[in-house]
Amino acid sequence: MVPAPFNHIRRHANLYSLAALALVKLLYLFDYAATLPYADAPIGDARIFDTFAAQMARGDWTDAAYARYSPLYPLLLAVAKLAGVPFIAVYLLQLGAGLLTVILVYRITARLFGQDAPRAPFIAAALCALYGPLTFFESKLLGASLAEPEPIRDI
């Protein structure tokens, strides 16, 4: 039997776990933004997406190069540019999408296994949360950050 003062903690363990995960991801993101010069000056593929976003924000929608990439991500960046949103806000949005991915994995696993495996949802969500590429792509200006549920098949 769990002592009365700990009942509240046990009932909300999933919420506390998600908050701890969010804190770890935030710490990673802020450490990344503070230590690497690429956070505010995209390079490589991130620069391509940033360039596409700048072109779209100026109203240029005719570049044939858009067809080689998913147009949703540059469009999202273009909206952010028009709104004057800094890159760190985009990273935070992507971090939120990553947290939603973890929640979806938890809920899907809970629905699939139900009472047969009561720990399975937590284990699946923890594996998803600790899967490095998901956290890595949340801190990059890449279209893969909006396609996070896709790499889950590799877990």
Side-chain angles (χ1 to χ4, degrees), residues 43-76:
I43 61 170
D45 286 353
R47 185 171 196 151
I48 293 170
F49 281 109
D50 186 46
T51 302
F52 285 171
Q55 290 171 344
M56 288 179 170
R58 286 192 308 267
D60 179 10
W61 294 82
T62 59
D63 192 338
Y66 297 156
R68 288 183 289 194
Y69 298 93
S70 171
L72 179 61
Y73 192 71
L75 181 61
L76 176 91

Side-chain angles (χ1 to χ4, degrees), residues 11 15-17 110 123 132 134 153:
R11 273 187 304 221
L15 181 62
Y16 295 139
S17 298
I123 293 169
L134 292 179
R153 73 174 187 272

Side-chain angles (χ1 to χ4, degrees), residues 1 13 22 35 38 43-44 47 54 59 70 79 87 108 123 125 134 139 154:
M1 178 163 219
T35 58
Y38 315 120
I43 61 170
R47 185 171 196 151
S70 171
V79 169
F87 287 138
I108 289 169
I123 293 169
L134 292 179
S139 63
D154 297 333

Side-chain angles (χ1 to χ4, degrees), residues 28-48:
Y28 167 78
L29 178 63
F30 289 130
D31 180 60
Y32 171 80
T35 58
L36 293 178
Y38 315 120
D40 289 326
I43 61 170
D45 286 353
R47 185 171 196 151
I48 293 170

Side-chain angles (χ1 to χ4, degrees), residues 79-102:
V79 169
K81 281 189 175 296
L82 287 172
V85 174
F87 287 138
I88 192 71
V90 175
Y91 298 142
L92 288 170
L93 177 68
Q94 292 173 180
L95 185 139
L99 290 173
L100 283 176
T101 300
V102 173

Side-chain angles (χ1 to χ4, degrees), residues 112-133:
L112 285 174
F113 292 97
Q115 297 298 334
D116 295 336
R119 293 189 177 143
F122 182 76
I123 293 169
L127 288 173
C128 179
L130 297 173
Y131 184 59

